[in-house]
Amino acid sequence: MKRQFTLAFLASMGALVSTNMAHGNDAKPDVAAKTRVICFGDSITAGKYPDHLAELRPDLEIVNAGVGGNITAQGLARMEADVLSRKPDVVLIMFGTNDSVLRAAKTYRTPLKTFGENLEKMIEACRAVGATPVVATLLPIISAPYYTRHPKEFYTPEGGLDAILARYRETTIEVAKAHTVHVVDMNTLIHGDESHLKPDGVHPNEAGEKAIAKNFADALVALEMKSGA
């Protein structure tokens, strides 16, 4: 990784102290800005998990950059304005739910190969500005309520909804590992547990949002430990 956010924080504090000493100023250094963590994704991110993450990590600045209905291509199109221009230290990337949805039989909104390439571009864009990317897999979907709104026959030839989601999840993990990026497998978080999802079977309820926030908070701690903070 090009920059570990905790080390950057310590370096900035050191620079402030050095500046004051160079000018003979015995005053205490200015308080450094909080480490900025941007939550980047679709409607699941646009919900309240970033608020719960902020409650768990009040020492960090948490920014919600989720937009409902987004696929990875749309995320890439707005990444400069919504993420990179804000000078993030860490970017929590979570896409895939909308990318994997079939529009017609065997016609994905985002082909699997393109989905993986889009994630790679997001990772590279984060690192180009010195930010640390963290990638999360898409959440599970409860098929029974989902099929009341989407034709089941679209999914059956592809092995069913779970099999399709698994392929996008595996691609996310493969991309993260190939680029040495910390990955959070949200599927293991609430797989098959309807108590964490709204009646639509797709979006997390408050319990689910809190669980997502906790998993990301754990990932941030892991990054801090890895950086030696």
Side-chain angles (χ1 to χ4, degrees):
M1 296 180 183
K2 290 191 176 181
R3 177 174 65 174
Q4 296 293 348
F5 62 94
T6 46
L7 294 182
F9 172 81
L10 292 173
S12 65
M13 287 297 292
L16 285 169
V17 172
S18 297
T19 299
N20 285 331
M21 291 178 65
H23 290 280
N25 186 354
D26 293 330
K28 293 181 179 180
D30 295 334
V31 176
K34 288 183 177 181
T35 295
R36 181 170 296 156
V37 178
I38 296 187
C39 306
F40 183 39
D42 50 34
S43 60
I44 294 171
T45 297
K48 293 186 176 180
Y49 102 66
D51 293 338
H52 294 303
L53 181 57
E55 293 171 357
L56 292 172
R57 293 298 306 264
D59 57 317
L60 305 177
E61 179 188 355
I62 307 297
V63 179
N64 190 333
V67 173
N70 262 197
I71 58 176
T72 48
Q74 292 168 316
L76 278 171
R78 64 182 179 85
M79 193 172 183
E80 175 61 38
D82 291 356
V83 179
L84 305 180
S85 67
R86 294 176 172 177
K87 303 185 185 305
D89 294 298
V90 182
V91 181
L92 307 179
I93 302 170
M94 185 165 60
F95 285 88
T97 298
N98 297 307
D99 290 272
S100 61
V101 175
L102 289 164
R103 292 178 296 182
K106 297 186 179 181
T107 303
Y108 297 99
R109 293 191 66 181
T110 306
L112 196 58
K113 183 175 183 292
T114 303
F115 173 69
E117 292 171 346
N118 288 345
L119 289 180
E120 289 180 332
K121 291 175 183 177
M122 290 179 180
I123 290 169
E124 291 166 356
C126 290
R127 286 179 166 163
V129 298
T132 299
V134 175
V135 176
T137 65
L138 70 167
L139 269 65
I141 294 176
I142 306 299
S143 59
Y146 182 83
Y147 284 147
T148 64
R149 305 184 310 281
H150 304 277
K152 183 177 181 179
E153 57 269 23
F154 284 1
Y155 298 83
T156 302
E158 301 297 299
L161 179 61
D162 287 345
I164 292 170
L165 298 180
R167 291 195 282 272
Y168 282 79
R169 185 175 303 112
E170 289 165 4
T171 295
T172 300
I173 294 172
E174 289 171 0
V175 167
K177 288 183 176 179
H179 291 269
T180 322
V181 172
H182 191 95
V183 61
V184 180
D185 189 359
M186 292 294 178
N187 179 62
T188 61
L189 169 67
I190 56 174
H191 183 63
D193 187 353
E194 296 185 37
S195 69
H196 283 73
L197 296 172
K198 291 181 178 179
D200 65 3
V202 177
H203 295 89
N205 55 24
E206 186 174 8
E209 289 171 333
K210 287 182 176 180
I212 293 170
K214 177 62 167 57
N215 272 250
F216 273 132
D218 290 345
L220 291 172
V221 169
L223 286 174
E224 290 166 344
M225 293 177 66
K226 186 176 180 180
S227 72

